Amino acid sequence: MMNSTLGESYQNSLALEQEWPDYGIGDPYVMRYNGLYYLYCSTKDFRVGVKAWSSSDLIHWKYEGLATEEPLTVGAYAPEVVYWNGYFYMYTSPAGKGHYVLRSESPTGPFTIQTENLGLSIDGSVFIDDDGKWYFTHASAKGIIGHPMSDPYTMTEEKALNTNMGHWTEGSMIIKRDGKYFMTYTGNHVFSKGYRINYAVATDSPIGTYNVPDNNPIVISTKQDFNGLGHSSSVIGPNLDAYYMFYHNLIGHSKEGPPVRRLNMDRIVFNGEKMAVLGDGTHFPQPVPRMPDFYDGINKPLDQKLWDVRVKGDETNWLSSKATDKTDKSRFTAEYNFRLNMENTREGETTFETVFSYTDDNNYKVVGVDPALRSIALFEMKDGKKKQHAISELPQSMDFTKLHTIRVESDAGSTKVFFDQMNKLTVTDITAKSGKIGYTYRNVKPTLGFTAFSKEASGSSDFETAKPVPGSIEAVHYLEVRDQGFHVGHPVNGAVMREDDGVPIQTSEDGSNAVAIAGKGDWLSYRINVESDGTYGFDAMLKEDGNEDTVELQVDGKSQRFELGNSQSEGNQWVKKHIGNMKLTKGEHILTVKLVKGKLNYRFLDIYRVTELPTEKLSHLFSQIVPEDMYGKWMKHEDGYTVQTEGSDAKMYAGSDEWTDYRVEVDLKSTADSIEEAGLLFRVTNESEFPEQVRDSFMGYQLTFRNGRMILKRMNYDQNEVASAPLSLAAGSTVHIAVDVSGATMKVYVNNSKQPALEWTDANAWMHGKIGIRSASPSWLFTNLSLVRR
């Protein structure tokens, strides 16, 4: 950790004690149990066992030794651990030769093997749904495969899911939030610089139909000093509300040749059906995870100095926290961990309740556990009268002598009760109210574990956290407190989230929520964390109205005004538009978006580093390309390049990721007939090359030439044909191709024509990147690659 304008911070990559020598930490998996986190990772080839670490804050990790030393665990791939009803189940595929299930009564082991080889490829992951049903997912060349499970050891029929990265796909994990299943998965090859993380969302089942959102991949970097990001796990943070993603990156080479892996952690945020990793994989200081506002019992008994302990006449014991419990925020999350001594207990005579919103003995709320009936119920004590609001059955196999967790999330809309991470109760007529938390019990002797209270719920901590720049900011994640984090002159009713703010928020077509401010002088503010001094571009995904809207961007009081201009798209649709450029300095700042004229209906902001091109034309760019930016076998000619082999796939790149608007030109000659393609590349970022991954391994655009046509493709580690036009290019002839890219619009000119032969506007455009060429045949000769600033 280090000091910065963020206060206490950390920086990826993280170094842990006792990492596997000459290997590091690969395929990290983090699980949470009784207030502590446990980290497991893949085992170095030819070594036995699975290493484990523990932490209370996700930053300081203690090595716990080998969680298993079973001889079968040689080179154990991607171990994952799930807790259920007193046992910890580990799923791993030693050396990739099929899965085994191991079991332990402790998260640090010893885990012992419980099954024969189950097969099922590699990277197995278990998800337990709210109804207690288990599901298993794993890797394949067809995408992620899912299986219902009849018990912790048995996977039933398989189902190929539509979570596929176009080649080998692995590293799946499912979390459930607000009734939606968020699956993360990774590919294509662990040794590729372009290893990356995608996500998808389902609403019907953990192995149902997934929607793959447009903001994929959510983690990628192919930079020389930070690349190969992938194989993630996600876990709720110490403040009981935020989520964090763990993944590894690649660095250098081990003695055996493959790269060494390093551990990384980044913040996850949510917006409706949209999930995002802040910064898209960060490599500069970030704020450490926040702890709860009150907590006790991390790996020790509760400290009675922190509690009011009373024994009432009916032998009911009360424990109420002395934590500061008054808050003007209409939300909270409370967590309770416990075991029950079930000797000599009978139905109706035993009570065990977790207390929240306690103001006095006549006014509070509880979640009551009935061990005999295997059920939980939500009660409210109001003016001394107790009322049951809801009841839910638990799985009949529940053993209450083992540790269990009750979690209460309450806000202005509802109160949700989770039992062992299963959402068992949701009640809308009980909403958040301040008060103490605690326990009450009668005729039973509990062991009370980790207990905590946080003034956050339902993702509210996403609002205040610093957003890394470069990166994206969801419009709805503005800061809290009226006239400090936001201002609307005429508050509205009926917003789909943050309804007390009066900010107009509605769900947009992609399932995320958008802000539509229309009052002159209205503004929203965001906390940002800038990586380094420089000039940054600001883009907004907005719904255009055809008017000349004007906004003002303020950073720490310094402001610039930008006219958004007329519509570039047809109709009232969402389109990404460049707002303008601003200079930013390293560290934490407050960014304010203020409406000056018209209206602003936007989903998110993209902020990225830009480098201004010189005013003069950059000619002879082929001479400036370095070998590291050339992929495949190229043959140099006097003034250009061809590839050496028919049917190959070769690419080369020039320039900077930070170039934005420009005109790129090239002369293309067809020396012979070929069925293979050639391509001019622009706005390219995150390029990579590896044999066992998708061929279209970059993000950006490709103008493809083939069979008398030119075809514009949008590239995102796959290809999508978006526009085309005829192009006459006989063998032996040369054409001059020029592409103007300005904002979201691309225009293609042939042979110095003043009219574009092809024009297209990308509603979700890539707005910056390198240029390059691509070819699969020696019959294509590229010459005179040049570029000029727009």
Side-chain angles (χ1 to χ4, degrees):
M1 294 189 299
M2 60 204 74
N3 293 320
S4 70
T5 56
L6 303 171
E8 203 171 26
S9 63
Y10 75 95
Q11 180 171 332
N12 290 325
S13 299
L14 307 174
L16 274 59
E17 59 175 340
Q18 297 295 317
E19 294 182 3
W20 285 109
D22 201 35
Y23 175 81
I25 291 181
D27 311 324
Y29 179 81
V30 177
M31 64 93 68
R32 185 170 179 271
Y33 170 77
N34 199 16
L36 286 177
Y37 296 91
Y38 296 89
L39 166 67
Y40 312 88
C41 68
S42 284
T43 302
K44 183 176 174 62
D45 290 343
F46 313 118
R47 307 303 197 274
V48 175
V50 172
K51 290 193 171 191
W53 292 261
S54 67
S55 174
S56 61
D57 58 10
L58 297 179
I59 297 295
H60 301 91
W61 291 93
K62 175 188 175 184
Y63 180 57
E64 296 286 358
L66 292 174
T68 181
E69 296 185 69
E70 288 275 15
L72 273 172
T73 60
V74 175
Y77 281 14
E80 296 200 3
V81 176
V82 62
Y83 173 77
W84 180 256
N85 205 26
Y87 292 103
F88 298 84
Y89 298 90
M90 177 184 288
Y91 299 80
T92 187
S93 176
K97 297 179 181 178
H99 281 91
Y100 293 85
V101 184
L102 297 82
R103 192 180 75 174
S104 174
E105 294 186 19
S106 165
T108 56
F111 284 85
T112 58
I113 291 178
Q114 304 293 307
T115 66
E116 299 295 327
N117 192 330
L118 302 177
L120 304 179
S121 184
I122 64 170
D123 292 359
S125 183
V126 167
F127 172 76
I128 303 173
D129 209 348
D130 295 336
D131 56 5
K133 292 181 179 178
W134 291 45
Y135 298 87
F136 186 79
T137 56
H138 62 83
S140 88
K142 300 181 294 183
I144 300 301
I145 304 296
H147 301 256
M149 299 174 68
S150 57
D151 58 57
Y153 309 114
T154 308
M155 297 74 178
T156 59
E157 68 277 4
E158 75 171 45
K159 178 182 179 182
L161 306 179
N162 62 312
T163 45
N164 189 337
M165 300 182 80
H167 203 288
W168 183 260
T169 307
E170 60 189 21
S172 59
M173 183 184 178
I174 300 171
I175 61 174
K176 191 174 187 180
R177 188 180 181 280
D178 197 24
K180 305 173 185 69
Y181 305 94
F182 291 85
M183 178 189 286
T184 49
Y185 49 102
T186 197
N188 288 123
H189 194 280
V190 68
F191 297 156
S192 168
K193 289 171 58 177
Y195 203 47
R196 62 204 184 280
I197 302 169
N198 272 22
Y199 83 106
V201 187
T203 57
D204 53 348
S205 163
I207 57 171
T209 302
Y210 277 87
N211 172 55
V212 182
D214 290 338
N215 65 314
N216 277 301
I218 54 171
V219 173
I220 186 170
S221 172
T222 62
K223 296 177 181 177
Q224 192 63 34
D225 61 344
F226 195 57
N227 59 64
L229 316 184
H231 200 121
S232 67
S233 66
S234 304
V235 67
I236 200 163
N239 75 342
L240 312 180
D241 181 70
Y243 276 84
Y244 290 85
M245 176 177 285
F246 286 80
Y247 57 92
H248 71 243
N249 72 292
L250 305 178
I251 186 169
H253 294 280
S254 64
K255 293 178 181 178
E256 290 85 357
V260 173
R261 310 181 199 189
R262 290 285 180 255
L263 178 67
N264 302 273
M265 176 183 74
D266 276 313
R267 177 69 183 272
I268 305 173
V269 295
F270 296 89
N271 176 15
E273 294 185 7
K274 184 177 181 181
M275 173 182 179
V277 176
L278 293 183
D280 197 16
T282 65
H283 199 39
F284 63 102
Q286 303 299 319
V288 299
R290 291 185 179 274
M291 298 299 289
D293 295 286
F294 167 82
Y295 61 96
D296 191 17
I298 292 186
N299 217 23
K300 66 179 181 62
L302 297 187
D303 182 354
Q304 292 198 14
K305 295 178 182 179
L306 300 177
W307 300 82
D308 296 323
V309 183
R310 295 180 287 153
V311 180
K312 296 176 63 177
D314 61 358
E315 298 182 352
T316 300
N317 296 284
W318 285 79
L319 293 84
S320 299
S321 76
K322 293 181 179 179
T324 301
D325 50 30
K326 298 298 182 182
T327 174
D328 57 356
K329 298 177 180 179
S330 56
R331 60 175 187 253
F332 68 84
T333 301
E335 183 178 306
Y336 315 80
N337 290 269
F338 60 91
R339 295 181 177 89
L340 303 181
N341 181 346
M342 300 306 297
E343 294 180 5
N344 302 318
T345 61
R346 288 180 291 180
E347 181 179 336
E349 294 186 353
T350 299
T351 61
F352 178 82
E353 298 172 327
T354 59
V355 182
F356 60 97
S357 298
Y358 171 89
T359 55
D360 55 50
D361 286 2
N362 294 316
N363 294 278
Y364 57 89
K365 303 174 182 70
V366 300
V367 176
V369 178
D370 191 322
L373 293 180
R374 300 293 196 275
S375 66
I376 60 171
L378 179 59
F379 295 92
E380 180 179 20
M381 178 73 81
K382 188 173 183 179
D383 298 329
K385 296 180 180 179
K386 196 171 186 178
K387 175 185 176 182
Q388 178 178 297
H389 283 266
I391 188 170
S392 177
E393 293 184 355
L394 301 174
Q396 291 302 297
S397 61
M398 282 292 118
D399 180 354
F400 288 94
T401 67
K402 309 300 184 182
L403 186 130
H404 296 284
T405 303
I406 287 176
R407 173 188 178 87
V408 178
E409 294 181 9
S410 192
D411 57 24
S414 67
T415 295
K416 298 177 181 178
V417 178
F418 297 79
F419 187 90
D420 289 354
Q421 308 308 312
M422 298 178 290
N423 185 3
K424 305 305 292 186
L425 298 171
T426 299
V427 178
T428 57
D429 52 353
I430 288 185
T431 55
K433 183 180 179 182
S434 63
K436 296 181 179 181
I437 62 169
Y439 300 88
T440 175
Y441 46 90
R442 181 173 182 267
N443 293 336
V444 67
K445 294 181 179 179
T447 300
L448 303 178
F450 175 75
T451 310
F453 173 88
S454 173
K455 297 175 185 178
E456 307 287 355
S458 308
S460 62
S461 59
D462 292 350
F463 310 153
E464 294 290 322
T465 193
K467 313 303 188 296
V469 171
S472 293
I473 304 173
E474 295 298 305
V476 297
H477 289 165
Y478 55 87
L479 294 168
E480 297 190 284
V481 184
R482 190 180 308 276
D483 294 328
Q484 294 183 34
F486 63 95
H487 171 83
V488 285
H490 299 283
V492 301
N493 296 319
V496 298
M497 66 177 290
R498 308 188 68 168
E499 50 268 32
D500 292 342
D501 293 351
V503 176
I505 300 175
Q506 295 298 323
T507 301
S508 60
E509 295 84 339
D510 70 342
S512 69
N513 300 312
V515 174
I517 53 177
K520 181 180 178 180
D522 289 354
W523 52 265
L524 305 173
S525 290
Y526 307 88
R527 193 181 311 278
I528 61 173
N529 173 25
V530 180
E531 180 177 17
S532 58
D533 297 355
T535 301
Y536 289 82
F538 289 74
D539 300 336
M541 176 61 76
L542 53 82
K543 180 168 280 190
E544 295 196 311
D545 57 8
N547 297 316
E548 295 186 358
D549 304 319
T550 303
V551 300
E552 186 175 276
L553 299 181
Q554 299 178 355
V555 178
D556 297 338
K558 298 179 181 179
S559 62
Q560 287 182 234
R561 187 168 292 189
F562 301 96
E563 293 183 2
L564 298 184
N566 292 319
S567 175
Q568 291 180 305
S569 58
E570 296 181 3
N572 189 26
Q573 69 174 5
W574 292 96
V575 63
K576 187 183 289 184
K577 175 168 282 190
H578 183 58
I579 298 176
N581 298 338
M582 289 186 71
K583 291 186 181 298
L584 300 176
T585 57
K586 179 180 179 180
E588 186 175 305
H589 306 277
I590 300 299
L591 165 69
T592 298
V593 180
K594 183 178 181 180
L595 182 63
V596 176
K597 176 185 175 182
K599 64 181 181 181
L600 182 62
N601 186 356
Y602 69 113
R603 289 177 182 163
F604 61 87
L605 299 173
D606 278 346
I607 310 175
Y608 48 91
R609 184 77 179 258
V610 299
T611 296
E612 193 168 273
L613 285 157
T615 54
E616 66 273 12
K617 186 174 184 177
L618 299 179
S619 302
H620 310 294
L621 284 178
F622 281 132
S623 64
Q624 301 179 28
I625 297 177
V626 297
E628 291 79 12
D629 289 331
M630 302 176 69
Y631 301 95
K633 296 181 178 180
W634 289 95
M635 182 180 298
K636 192 176 188 310
H637 294 260
E638 182 178 351
D639 53 358
Y641 281 91
T642 64
V643 297
Q644 294 184 13
T645 309
E646 185 78 13
S648 64
D649 182 20
K651 312 179 191 76
M652 69 170 69
Y653 305 97
S656 168
D657 288 353
E658 299 174 2
W659 288 353
T660 54
D661 292 350
Y662 48 70
R663 179 185 180 96
V664 57
E665 301 180 8
V666 73
D667 289 329
L668 180 65
K669 182 177 182 179
S670 173
T671 59
D673 291 333
S674 174
I675 62 171
E676 301 293 346
E677 298 178 346
L680 177 64
L681 314 179
F682 52 96
R683 292 261 180 94
V684 170
T685 60
N686 290 311
E687 68 278 5
S688 68
E689 192 75 12
F690 199 81
E692 297 176 66
Q693 69 175 22
V694 293
R695 287 166 61 92
D696 299 314
S697 51
F698 63 93
M699 301 158 74
Y701 300 97
Q702 176 175 307
L703 183 62
T704 302
F705 309 100
R706 74 170 184 228
N707 297 333
R709 295 194 70 77
M710 56 181 175
I711 302 163
L712 182 60
K713 299 178 180 180
R714 188 180 192 275
M715 314 297 288
N716 188 8
Y717 276 74
D718 60 7
Q719 57 175 274
N720 180 26
E721 295 186 4
V722 295
S724 66
L727 177 68
S728 176
L729 187 58
S733 65
T734 300
V735 294
H736 181 75
I737 302 294
V739 180
D740 274 351
V741 282
S742 179
T745 298
M746 288 143 265
K747 298 179 181 179
V748 180
Y749 299 86
V750 177
N751 291 332
N752 299 310
S753 170
K754 296 187 180 301
Q755 294 297 320
L758 187 153
E759 181 175 351
W760 186 67
T761 297
D762 186 354
N764 188 20
W766 307 119
M767 300 293 267
H768 58 96
K770 300 175 181 178
I771 63 172
I773 59 172
R774 184 179 187 180
S775 180
S777 171
S779 64
W780 298 106
L781 172 64
F782 293 89
T783 58
N784 301 319
L785 181 66
S786 62
L787 181 137
V788 64
R789 185 175 78 183
R790 288 283 299 168

